[in-house]
Amino acid sequence: MEAIPVVIKHQGKRYDVELEPNTTGEVFKFQLYSLTGVEPERQKILIKGGQLKNDTDLSSLGLKAGHLFMMMGTPSVGEVGADALQAPKEKTRFVEDMTDAEMAKVEGAIPAGLQNLGNTCYLNSTLQTLRAVPELQTELAKYKRSTLSSSASDQGFGSMGPSIDLTASLRELYRQMSDTQEGFPPLMFLNALRTAFPQFAQKSKTNNGYAQQDAEEAWSQILSQLRQKLMIKNAADPSTSSNQEISFIDKYFAGQFDTVTECDDVQAKEAGEEAVKAEEAFLKLNCHIGLTNHLRDGILAGLEEKIEKKSSLLDRDCIYTKKSQISRLPKYLTVHFIRFFWKRSVQKKAKIMRKVTFPQELDVVEFCTEKLQKRLVPVRDRIREVRKDELDMERARKRQKRLKDEEDASAARGPANSSSGASNEPDKANKDSQTSKDKKKTGADADVEVDKGPHKTDAEIEAERTASLLAAKKEIVKLVDPELAADDGGNKTGLYELRGVIAHQGSSADSGHYTAFIKKEGLKNPETGKRGEEDGKWWWFNDDRVSEVESEKIDGLSGGGESHSALILLYRAISTPDVEEA
């Protein structure tokens, strides 16, 4: 029988309850106990003809929806001492009772995918990768759209007015995605993107739908809009006014180059033309593939380029060499594989199929200026030493556990093996032989027993190792340059860990399919707010289909054919230990 919605009135309060007609009065009383805190034996529930008894069959009452019950009684708390049965402070929630929005917010829940609205996989993969930046989620939630853009966007999903606010649309999209685990249609954001950048509204040459686009172009255009619109307080610089704002993208995604541009023509140098030094901001590092097999070599190639421009002294075009070194590292580093090039014979962006490997931990110190290297190297090297110590400690723990398990197993087998005395003779002989070797000394050391000191327990050894590791982590914090420490949107170690990958499958930018891979984070502790250890697995976002894959899948995205090849890598700075934790 279906549940009947009824109302319970108790001490001036009304409770909406789902009553199961096929149960008894006792079950119903326990249900009310979870709501009111009044124990079943202290409840008086009035029904026609008297009070509800424990053995009353609720189906015999002939109740209808909206029936009102009067209940009397008070909890026993404070009357019979601390041992009295009390109702739980928070009502127990079961998975089957949760809404879709509540399920989506559960730690470890499968994140929402995005529906493909017609060749929009390039956008879906870009949006999923940007969503992996928690700082962006926080600042977008605070973002207030301008009055002009608000009036335009209020016209609805189909509004294509020129003042649509792309940043506000992104905020709303991420908010809606956080309330579901289903594939969500990014209609409003797609309309806003096509309004701001008409290139994404181009029609396909083969059918009536929209054309496929380059995910890197979508990434760059979205970041350019966020750079203009999403402003935050510049709390990192105490010398500035508290009201001064800085672009979110400039703080967390933008690095700084020191460049030197010099003419290759000998005549220009002889005429006295000097090299031009400058500073430039960058939002990504380009990996030029060419004959490159590894990411490092591609980045190095991208830091030196040839430019043709007019020489003012020679009054003609000359070739210049521009060399760049990084003087500021952002917290989030974007790396772009230059896989697509314009192929005139087929009139489209063709894809370079070459295999280029990339690490899940990237060291960029060698790409930096000498000044920045001097600041980063001591911190980077000490972090690596501490990591090695941590790995050794973990191995020692496993070894100790294995030895203890073997000892326990040997002790358990002891009585059964003791009947065969001969089997123990070789072990005894080996021990005697080793003892004899230990006692063989020469000169003054003969027959002198070596004092090995007091025996330390496993717990004492573990405590010493932990204390040593803690001291090393504190040392790392002290090694950080004060200027780098003040830049909370930068990298203080020169090391990055891979957090997201946008991959392309196919032979050209105008066709094929884009997907995104995002590394799973550890579960958050509800009390401390800190995340636990990660399991090393990744989320694979294939439009509205989301699945979990192993880390080996990421290693296979290096290309070498038309299969999934990395196009954009998103790295996050490996941070120094928290001062509070250290």
Side-chain angles (χ1 to χ4, degrees), residues 397-411 458:
R397 290 191 191 100
K398 292 180 179 179
R399 185 168 58 251
Q400 289 175 352
K401 184 178 184 303
R402 185 178 67 252
L403 291 174
K404 187 176 185 308
D405 291 343
E406 291 175 357
E407 290 177 0
D408 293 343
S410 177
D458 291 344

Side-chain angles (χ1 to χ4, degrees), residues 378-390:
V379 181
R380 180 201 64 183
D381 293 348
R382 194 70 184 103
I383 282 180
R384 285 176 169 170
E385 291 172 3
V386 170
R387 280 182 169 180
K388 184 179 180 301
D389 292 342
E390 286 181 316

Side-chain angles (χ1 to χ4, degrees), residues 153-169:
S153 59
D154 287 343
Q155 297 172 20
F157 280 3
S159 172
M160 299 291 285
S163 56
I164 281 184
D165 192 335
L166 196 70
T167 303
S169 297

